[in-house]
Amino acid sequence: MNLSGYFILFTSMLLAVLLMIMPLPDGLAFIWPLWIVAVLGYWLYALPHRVSLGSALFFGILLDVFNNTLLGQHALALVTVAYIMEKMHHQIRLFFWWQQALLMMCLAAVYSFILFFVQSLLAEIHLSWPFWLPIISTGVIWPVVFALLRHYRQKFRIT
Amino acid sequence: MPRLYRQTSATFLRFLTWLLVCLVLMVLDQKHFVVTRIKSVLQTMVTPLEYAVAYPGKAVVFVRDYLTIQHQLVHAEHRWQDQRLLLEAQVQQVNALKMQNQQLQTLLDSPVVEREDKFLLAKVVTLKNDAFSHEVLLNRGANSGLAIGQAVVAADGIAGQIIATNPLNARAMLVSDSRSAVPVVNERTQENFIVIGTGIADSLALMNVSSSADLKVGDRLMSSGMGGHFPAGFPVGIVALIDTNVKTFAKINVKPAVNLAKLQLVVLPIES
């Protein structure tokens, strides 16, 4: 893989992080997907030999820094998601797109539940219905993220 | 040809290692050991990115302001002028009362000294509302004298408190955050309560209130100053809904005094 390949890998994941910390109007913020799960999910699916748990850790820490959460909280969630993805990437290649989208929802749920669990150890928080919306929307945007990133992967021949 | 097959035990070991790293980091951060300092340094470094992501939203506001129709502007201008006159009249009244109070206190030989609070104005850079936290990033930091625990006040009342600072910026937790609790007093009955955040921007709640408590919809809740975190006498919210059909404690919804979703300018009282 050449330099532009690394650049695209890094930039796409950084963009996903920035999208997640972007201030949004209230209505949109509720349904805003967990971009990093979908983007990291794609790279773990397409290039499991390039992207792995280390990248998940790095961008997780970055999310912690941006969100001012305990350092390691988002990283823990993201590393777990990446591990599941890495264990499953042979099966995922055989999935239909809608099955992959469902899997992304499951991964987003794992991610959210870990965050919720850690947060609930620190403070009393309640699970309310808006909790589920980003999980669903992550599955919804998966085909778009998939098509977009595959386009760039093929265009720049990232292998 | 990329290597597609990896030894699974190695993957699992790596997973465990990173998991352990995360856990150690989290524990150290929770205990405010070294890691918290590192996080603060990293936050200072990535602040430009946070300003950058705030731009799209700011651009929308800018365009909207630019396209405001003239008669709306004239209307708003008249309203501000009316309000300013009203406020000026009130300030005179307050000044008179202050003088009177001082005289009375000297007559009584009271040890209570009138404290002149200084105020610092700060802009909200970004607003973060999700299920777990409601926080804002402010454009003033430790260099301007901000410190953790300080109250953040908006034009209409208490907005939150500072929870993290770096030299240039500070993060404030809003009262709607589910970790937030503000001691309040009911203006009508002078009863004390604690207002907690629910994680929803336009709804707060009262904690542990018995079903027989004297509360009415529309009661104004002011900060009581208990605990020393928040200054006394600022509006926090208005009782919006009372549900006594719940087991032990009444369920009481409070509408925050401040429009938290549209917070733009805040004031920080700094004790002199």
Side-chain angles (χ1 to χ4, degrees):
Chain A
M1 189 164 74
N2 49 15
L3 208 64
S4 69
Y6 282 110
F7 179 75
I8 290 199
L9 277 183
F10 183 81
T11 315
S12 62
M13 286 195 270
L14 184 67
L15 270 180
V17 169
L18 292 182
L19 275 175
M20 282 182 69
I21 60 155
M22 208 163 98
L24 294 163
D26 235 15
L28 204 58
F30 272 132
I31 55 161
W32 204 235
L34 305 163
W35 293 95
I36 189 69
V37 174
V39 172
L40 188 78
Y42 176 78
W43 291 123
L44 284 162
Y45 156 88
L47 306 168
H49 51 285
R50 296 279 180 209
V51 179
S52 63
L53 304 181
S55 329
L57 186 83
F58 177 82
F59 287 100
I61 296 273
L62 199 61
L63 274 170
D64 284 320
V65 169
F66 276 127
N67 286 320
N68 191 41
T69 42
L70 278 189
L71 210 66
Q73 185 179 331
H74 284 80
L76 181 79
L78 218 51
V79 165
T80 311
V81 164
Y83 178 66
I84 299 171
M85 197 68 197
E86 206 169 299
K87 289 298 267 189
M88 288 191 70
H89 84 264
H90 294 302
Q91 289 101 302
I92 297 164
R93 281 165 180 272
L94 304 175
F95 280 3
F96 291 116
W97 66 270
W98 58 268
Q99 285 174 314
Q100 289 175 349
L102 278 179
L103 179 76
M104 281 300 139
M105 284 191 204
C106 296
L107 291 178
V110 168
Y111 176 87
S112 302
F113 267 115
I114 292 174
L115 287 186
F116 178 79
F117 174 70
V118 176
Q119 207 82 24
S120 67
L121 294 178
L122 303 170
E124 197 180 319
I125 51 169
H126 316 282
L127 201 65
S128 47
W129 59 269
F131 174 86
W132 299 99
L133 297 178
I135 295 174
I136 295 167
S137 64
T138 305
V140 173
I141 57 144
W142 167 253
V144 183
V145 170
F146 182 90
L148 197 75
L149 291 179
R150 190 178 56 179
H151 170 77
Y152 281 106
R153 184 172 64 82
Q154 287 168 349
K155 191 173 167 189
F156 292 93
R157 299 174 200 290
I158 308 168
T159 50
Chain B
M1 183 61 198
R3 195 161 52 89
L4 281 180
Y5 296 91
R6 220 194 264 276
Q7 291 95 338
T8 43
S9 63
T11 311
F12 186 65
L13 269 181
R14 269 183 321 124
F15 175 56
L16 278 186
T17 318
W18 292 137
L19 227 57
L20 210 68
V21 168
C22 290
L23 287 175
V24 169
L25 280 176
M26 274 156 66
V27 170
L28 289 179
D29 197 6
Q30 170 70 359
K31 299 264 176 268
H32 291 288
F33 205 64
V34 202
V35 175
T36 315
R37 190 68 70 74
I38 297 172
K39 191 168 78 175
S40 171
V41 172
L42 288 175
Q43 274 170 351
T44 318
M45 281 162 63
V46 299
T47 306
L49 281 175
E50 270 185 276
Y51 275 82
V53 292
Y55 263 107
K58 290 240 163 70
V60 171
V61 172
F62 177 77
V63 170
R64 202 183 52 203
D65 285 354
Y66 193 78
L67 295 176
T68 314
I69 305 160
Q70 193 206 1
H71 77 80
Q72 281 178 335
L73 282 174
V74 171
H75 186 72
E77 164 73 17
H78 283 311
R79 217 178 47 226
W80 293 132
Q81 249 167 21
D82 290 354
Q83 201 168 12
R84 208 199 55 179
L85 279 175
L86 217 97
L87 285 174
E88 264 172 22
Q90 278 170 355
V91 165
Q92 280 172 12
Q93 206 175 9
V94 168
N95 281 340
L97 282 173
K98 252 188 193 168
M99 281 234 296
Q100 200 179 22
N101 197 15
Q102 228 158 24
Q103 283 169 352
L104 286 172
Q105 267 170 4
T106 40
L107 276 181
L108 286 168
D109 228 4
S110 149
V112 178
V113 187
E114 188 71 21
R115 205 183 58 205
E116 279 293 325
D117 276 344
K118 273 206 282 190
F119 291 100
L120 182 77
L121 210 62
K123 267 188 189 162
V124 171
V125 180
T126 66
L127 178 75
K128 188 170 78 82
N129 278 1
D130 57 37
F132 305 138
S133 61
H134 287 189
E135 288 176 17
V136 289
L137 183 73
L138 303 176
N139 72 342
R140 300 289 190 119
N143 282 355
S144 311
L146 299 192
I148 291 174
Q150 225 155 34
V152 176
V153 179
D156 315 316
I158 294 218
Q161 60 178 306
I162 305 277
I163 52 164
T165 58
N166 64 43
L168 301 173
N169 296 97
R171 263 161 225 278
M173 175 174 78
L174 300 179
V175 286
S176 57
D177 191 298
S178 46
R179 297 165 291 173
S180 162
V182 187
V184 293
V185 57
N186 185 344
E187 208 181 32
R188 185 172 57 86
T189 62
Q190 295 298 313
E191 240 183 311
N192 283 302
F193 297 103
I194 291 178
V195 164
I196 53 169
T198 57
I200 298 166
D202 56 357
S203 156
L204 311 173
L206 279 188
M207 206 166 108
N208 302 354
V209 178
S210 73
S211 305
S212 56
D214 180 14
L215 270 169
K216 282 182 190 155
V217 171
D219 276 356
R220 278 153 57 89
L221 304 171
M222 315 295 265
S223 58
S224 64
M226 280 188 187
H229 245 56
F230 294 96
F234 285 88
V236 175
I238 293 170
V239 176
L241 186 119
I242 300 175
D243 181 5
T244 47
N245 292 332
V246 205
K247 283 167 235 155
T248 345
F249 296 117
K251 190 180 161 224
I252 292 155
N253 275 2
V254 175
K255 191 182 174 302
V258 182
N259 188 349
L260 296 166
K262 292 203 171 78
L263 207 56
Q264 280 186 334
L265 269 177
V266 293
V267 171
L268 299 124
I270 293 177
E271 285 165 32
S272 43

